[in-house]
Amino acid sequence: MTTSSTSSFSLYNKPTKKMNWSAVSSDKISPSYADYDVAPLNRTLTQDILLSYGIAAPLQLLFTVALGASASILGIVTNIINIIVFIKQGAYKECGTVNLLGLAVSDFCVAITMLQISLCLTLIVINPPSLPWEPFAFWFLTAGWPHLMFAQITRTITAYVAFERCMCVVFPFKVKSILTPKRSIIIIVVIFICTFSSYSPAFIKQQLKYKHDPIVNRSRIILILASDWQYVVDVMWYINSIAFNVGSVAIVLICTLITASRVQLSKTWRSSMATGSTQKTALEEDPKTTISETASKQNVMSNSKMQKEKKLITMIVFISVIFLICYIPDLTFLLMYSINPKIRVLGTYHNLAMVMYSLTFFMETFNSSINIFIYYRMSSKYKRVFREWIGLSTDKD
């Protein structure tokens, strides 16, 4: 049924042949499984001493189906609105709008894949025998990996957004010539392409194929894993987790701290520079204008400009802080896996891994679903365009 180079798997079912589970001393796939269409998942469900299946299953349903599905539906709706509003704002005219549009697209994909994960887990629990595919296989390849990929894109774009705003505070007069809207579009596209490429081994070494499944005694779509899939996936995991995920979180944290610490200094410096410039211009245009009148006009203009900038910076800081909070479970899971590699799907501690994935997926989706409330509350331009789009009054906020 299988060749020497691949092993096929049909998960969450009882084995049809008697297997010597005690002979398996590690969580690596043994070559002896080449004759079977069963993964060592049955063993891990009962031998996970860290978390029993009786506790793990309800937690998965809570995080993935109850909370995850709700967050995913909210995220799909809110990010469609975000995409429309940013396009109406003139997404290609401003660097910040380009970045937020790219973030909305990736957040939309995070929400879509989370909804698919919720449906797949429901099928895993029900496991109807008439399904033309094995439900866990579909969760593993068509929902789990894509969700991780798009969540990583969201992390990377969030890091770029925090970096761009940090540059605006540190180098206010140079950043616009360096980070142009066109260059931001290129950067966003490169982020998508690089992330797709970094996850490509998961789709090369793990495939869905229509084969005979002895569990249900008929042919259906099951998961086929290459013989070296575990090694390849481990390498891919460490590269993406450390280089992209941890790196992105570090950039967001550092840039947010720098932005928050420099914003007050930047506001004071810009105010003094703008006051002197405007006073000089006003006196040249109208020599009768007094210094006090000029200063009064400048204060109104400067305060208005700084107020808008303060709102924008505050909005980015809020997005960054929520991002950091929502990705605590992901960083915790990465730390747990680094300490004990057996905490993985199809590993010795499969139950704990599945619960951590469920919690991580939900928090990632929650992070991708609530940005609209921050935009509407803190961006007067977003609020105005949104209200115009839905036909409400456009009174000045």
Side-chain angles (χ1 to χ4, degrees):
M1 187 180 301
T2 59
T3 64
S4 59
S5 61
T6 62
S7 296
S8 60
F9 291 81
S10 183
L11 309 177
Y12 268 105
N13 296 286
K14 295 180 180 180
T16 55
K17 298 183 180 181
K18 185 177 180 180
M19 289 185 168
N20 183 13
W21 296 114
S22 61
V24 182
S25 59
S26 70
D27 54 307
K28 293 184 178 180
I29 304 302
S30 170
S32 63
Y33 290 130
D35 296 330
Y36 302 92
D37 281 318
V38 180
L41 183 59
N42 301 279
R43 174 178 59 89
T44 63
L45 288 174
T46 57
Q47 294 189 4
D48 188 340
I49 60 174
L50 296 181
L51 190 65
S52 68
Y53 181 72
I55 298 176
L59 290 176
Q60 292 178 56
L61 291 174
L62 172 64
F63 293 135
T64 304
V65 179
L67 299 177
S70 301
S72 64
I73 293 173
L74 175 65
I76 292 170
V77 174
T78 57
N79 283 294
I80 289 176
I81 294 174
N82 287 340
I83 292 170
I84 293 173
V85 172
F86 289 138
I87 292 176
K88 286 182 174 292
Q89 282 186 214
Y92 308 110
K93 297 179 181 179
E94 297 181 2
C95 183
T97 310
V98 169
N99 299 338
L100 294 180
L101 176 60
L103 183 61
V105 172
S106 65
D107 283 342
F108 173 78
C109 295
V110 168
I112 283 286
T113 52
M114 184 64 205
L115 183 59
Q116 185 177 355
I117 288 173
S118 301
L119 295 175
C120 286
L121 185 60
T122 302
L123 288 176
I124 289 174
V125 174
I126 300 174
N127 196 20
S130 60
L131 270 182
W133 63 83
E134 203 288 311
F136 192 93
F138 258 63
W139 175 92
F140 199 63
L141 191 59
T142 67
W145 284 114
H147 180 88
L148 289 173
M149 181 174 64
F150 287 116
Q152 180 171 300
I153 293 174
T154 288
R155 279 189 286 265
T156 309
I157 295 178
T158 302
Y160 175 59
V161 170
F163 172 76
E164 183 265 341
R165 190 45 42 186
C166 180
M167 292 287 287
C168 288
V169 173
V170 178
F171 305 106
F173 295 110
K174 295 182 180 180
V175 66
K176 287 188 177 181
S177 61
I178 299 174
L179 297 176
T180 63
K182 183 177 180 179
R183 288 175 181 172
S184 288
I185 293 173
I186 295 174
I187 291 172
I188 297 298
V189 171
V190 168
I191 289 174
F192 272 86
I193 293 175
C194 288
T195 307
F196 289 158
S197 300
S198 67
Y199 274 87
S200 59
F203 301 97
I204 294 175
K205 297 297 182 178
Q206 307 168 80
Q207 299 178 6
L208 295 173
K209 291 188 177 181
Y210 190 77
K211 297 176 68 68
H212 179 75
D213 187 351
I215 303 301
V216 293
N217 196 28
R218 61 182 175 81
S219 294
R220 64 175 180 173
I221 299 174
I222 58 177
L223 183 64
I224 305 296
L225 305 178
S227 59
D228 59 344
W229 76 278
Q230 191 65 72
Y231 171 78
V232 173
V233 168
D234 284 347
V235 172
M236 183 188 70
W237 171 273
Y238 279 111
I239 291 176
N240 286 292
S241 297
I242 297 175
F244 287 94
N245 297 348
V246 176
S248 297
V249 171
I251 291 173
V252 171
L253 179 60
I254 293 171
C255 290
T256 301
L257 292 175
I258 293 175
T259 301
S261 63
R262 291 292 298 270
V263 65
Q264 186 61 44
L265 179 62
S266 177
K267 283 167 54 182
T268 304
W269 180 77
R270 289 189 185 192
S271 178
S272 62
M273 291 291 292
T275 301
S277 176
T278 303
Q279 287 176 354
K280 181 178 179 181
T281 302
L283 288 172
E284 290 175 351
E285 294 177 351
D286 186 3
K288 295 181 180 180
T289 303
T290 64
I291 296 295
S292 60
E293 290 174 344
T294 303
S296 179
K297 293 178 181 179
Q298 170 56 29
N299 286 336
V300 174
M301 295 170 58
S302 179
N303 289 338
S304 177
K305 182 177 180 181
M306 286 189 296
Q307 196 67 23
K308 290 181 179 179
E309 183 174 339
K310 181 182 177 181
K311 282 187 176 182
L312 178 59
I313 293 174
T314 304
M315 183 180 75
I316 300 301
V317 170
F318 261 90
I319 293 174
S320 300
V321 170
I322 293 174
F323 164 84
L324 292 171
I325 294 173
C326 289
Y327 279 92
I328 289 176
D330 183 61
L331 295 177
T332 303
F333 188 23
L334 174 61
L335 179 62
M336 292 168 58
Y337 178 80
S338 300
I339 296 174
N340 188 347
K342 294 182 179 181
I343 305 176
R344 66 168 70 165
V345 178
L346 301 184
T348 303
Y349 306 116
H350 168 87
N351 295 336
L352 179 59
M354 289 295 293
V355 170
M356 289 303 300
Y357 267 122
S358 299
L359 176 59
T360 297
F361 287 176
F362 162 65
M363 294 299 291
E364 290 170 344
T365 308
F366 178 77
N367 173 72
S368 296
S369 304
I370 61 173
N371 285 339
I372 188 173
F373 304 107
I374 302 175
Y375 299 152
Y376 188 84
R377 178 69 179 83
M378 298 185 175
S379 174
S380 57
K381 186 176 182 180
Y382 181 96
K383 187 175 183 178
R384 175 178 57 80
V385 174
F386 174 78
R387 290 173 68 88
E388 288 177 350
W389 174 50
I390 62 177
L392 295 179
S393 61
T394 57
D395 295 336
K396 186 176 181 180
D397 298 306

